[in-house]
Amino acid sequence: MGWEYGIRATEPAILPEVVKRLASVLTFTNMYSLEHHANGFVLNREDPSWPRALEVWIEEASGVEEIADGALYIYCLFHIWGEEARGWMQQMEQETRQVEGGLIWFEL
């Protein structure tokens, strides 16, 4: 489907704040809009054929090799590829390095 990544934390209680921080660091053009949700966010684009560019959610693990079932983690789904998506990933990775709490990215 796209690039899928997870972010786990040694302190899962920080995940809601991390999601807010990730949303705040993204830079994008006016052809995109950020839609906030209680447990994540979606970066939409003005393209009816492929409206979602990025989704970030706090999810409960089930069958995820890197995390015990029931543990919370951040799920990141990049629907688009290329330099733009790579830039968002780099912005998000840089922000997670600023957060204390043992955040670790892993590929799904």
Side-chain angles (χ1 to χ4, degrees), residues 13-97:
I14 69 169
L15 293 179
E17 181 59 32
V18 171
V19 168
K20 288 178 189 174
R21 289 177 67 163
L22 294 177
S24 72
V25 300
L26 292 178
T27 58
F28 47 88
T29 66
N30 61 1
M31 75 177 286
Y32 295 96
S33 62
L34 193 60
E35 183 180 298
H36 293 274
H37 295 268
N39 64 336
F41 65 87
V42 176
L43 188 59
N44 292 308
R45 63 186 194 159
E46 295 177 11
D47 182 349
S49 68
W50 200 270
R52 289 191 167 182
L54 170 64
E55 295 181 58
V56 176
W57 305 103
I58 296 174
E59 293 194 350
E60 186 175 300
S62 177
V64 178
E65 204 172 290
E66 293 82 358
I67 301 178
D69 284 355
L72 296 178
Y73 73 105
I74 298 172
Y75 172 72
C76 306
L77 174 56
F78 294 82
H79 288 276
I80 65 171
W81 301 272
E83 289 303 313
E84 211 163 28
R86 189 171 286 105
W88 297 332
M89 184 183 301
Q90 290 170 346
Q91 291 166 10
M92 292 168 58
E93 286 175 329
Q94 184 176 10
E95 185 63 23
T96 59
R97 286 193 292 270

